[in-house]
Amino acid sequence: VAPTQLTVLITGESGVGKEVFSQIIHQLSPRKHNPFIAVNCGAIPEGTIDSELFGHEKGSFTGASDKRKGYFETVDGGTIFLDEIGTASTALQIKLLRVLQEFQFEPIGDNQTVTVDTRCVLATNEDLEQAVQEGKFRQDLFYRINVIHLELPALRDRVSDIPLLVEHFLQKSLKDVRKEIDGFSADAIEAMLGYAWPGNIRELENVVQRAVLLTKTPEIGVEMLPPSLLSGMSGASAYPRIARDQTLREALEGPERQIILDVLKANAFSRNLTANQLGINRTTLYKKMKRLGIDGYRFQD
């Protein structure tokens, strides 16, 4: 996508890294030596966002003491990143549609048309298709910005990235503190793998930074993780740990044994009902139970 001139729409939950990806698109494009600017549409007051994006003439409104260029003109030849585009007012949506179609606009209080060569990357954590159906977002603008759609998954859907991200944020944090830290303990990593991360990568970075600041030992243990993370865990990690001398089958025996025990207890230790719920025949269940050492219970068959 990066080498093209196409408009890009990035969607995903808050904290998944939409702005980081927009910067990567810019850095990998022919525009990389030109300006990049990120604008949070939801953070700018509605009365001033037109001026921020498109500029204004001196005296065009109360407080406009000087002529000012807007972001679109400032980054001419570069890339503008518009975050939280789903919060844009109807009036702003109309202006954005023209800019994205014709690359032209008029600053507030000026009849002179400005033409720019600015690439636009937009992002939102809202469902724009639903917003279109509800009349909150213009359909023509939605089709105009939905040329290239990149959907970033939540961190809970890419847990295999967590150890890599933890190491990245650890090294980043160590640049700001004078500590000898080897890394996080296996229990701490396992706890992080089992957490849902509602704040996604942004929350993970904050957790790592906090642990680095608080730890007094070279290895950061689970006690350095915030209580909210530990209380928010949904039980044990979905990914069992494997020792150096273990096979995959041996590593999976623990979780498999626990699953069978849980289903047995839920079915009052009826092996027939347990086999039915697990979707296996009774002979297979008996063999698994014998191999896993589940034979010290009274069964109701």
Side-chain angles (χ1 to χ4, degrees), residues 3-238:
T4 72
Q5 306 300 317
L6 297 175
T7 300
V8 180
L9 175 64
I10 305 177
T11 60
E13 295 179 6
S14 178
V16 293
K18 296 188 286 294
E19 184 174 342
V20 172
F21 270 78
S22 70
Q23 291 172 342
I24 293 173
I25 290 172
H26 175 72
Q27 292 164 2
L28 296 178
S29 76
R31 301 172 179 264
K32 62 183 178 181
H33 298 300
N34 295 326
F36 170 92
I37 190 169
V39 181
N40 188 328
C41 297
I44 302 176
E46 187 173 337
T48 62
I49 192 166
D50 281 11
S51 171
E52 296 287 340
L53 292 178
F54 308 114
H56 62 257
E57 282 293 309
K58 180 179 179 180
S60 57
F61 57 87
T62 303
S65 56
D66 296 298
K67 179 178 180 178
R68 177 181 174 181
K69 289 184 178 181
Y71 293 136
F72 269 95
E73 190 174 359
T74 302
V75 298
D76 188 14
T79 304
I80 187 170
F81 172 62
L82 300 180
D83 197 6
E84 295 190 24
I85 190 61
T87 65
S89 66
T90 302
L92 178 59
Q93 291 179 38
I94 294 173
K95 289 190 175 182
L96 285 175
L97 180 62
R98 183 189 174 197
V99 172
L100 296 177
Q101 287 179 336
E102 304 173 11
F103 300 99
Q104 293 182 335
F105 59 88
E106 288 81 32
I108 298 175
D110 190 356
N111 294 325
Q112 192 73 23
T113 298
V114 177
T115 302
V116 294
D117 175 27
T118 301
R119 185 182 192 176
C120 195
V121 179
L122 308 97
T124 182
N125 56 13
E126 300 181 18
D127 187 339
L128 289 186
E129 291 190 65
Q130 183 177 347
V132 169
Q133 294 175 2
E134 295 174 352
K136 298 177 180 178
F137 199 84
R138 291 180 62 93
Q139 187 178 53
D140 48 4
L141 178 59
F142 172 71
Y143 289 134
R144 184 63 188 84
I145 67 177
N146 197 33
V147 180
I148 298 293
H149 181 195
L150 302 180
E151 184 173 0
L152 303 186
L155 186 55
R156 62 181 173 274
D157 296 327
R158 44 190 287 207
V159 291
S160 60
D161 287 353
I162 290 177
L164 297 171
L165 289 166
V166 167
E167 179 62 24
H168 168 71
F169 291 133
L170 172 63
Q171 298 304 322
K172 182 179 177 181
S173 299
L174 288 177
K175 294 178 181 178
D176 300 323
V177 297
R178 295 181 179 180
K179 288 186 177 181
E180 294 290 336
I181 297 177
D182 298 328
F184 284 79
S185 69
D187 288 342
I189 294 294
E190 187 170 358
M192 288 189 275
L193 288 171
Y195 180 57
W197 298 106
N200 290 295
I201 300 174
R202 184 182 294 119
E203 182 183 8
L204 175 63
E205 181 175 13
N206 292 338
V207 166
V208 173
Q209 289 176 338
R210 175 184 182 274
V212 169
L213 290 174
L214 294 179
T215 188
K216 296 181 180 179
T217 59
E219 184 177 70
I220 301 176
V222 69
E223 69 279 359
M224 290 293 102
L225 300 179
S228 58
L229 188 151
L230 300 177
S231 63
M233 289 174 58
S234 56
S237 169

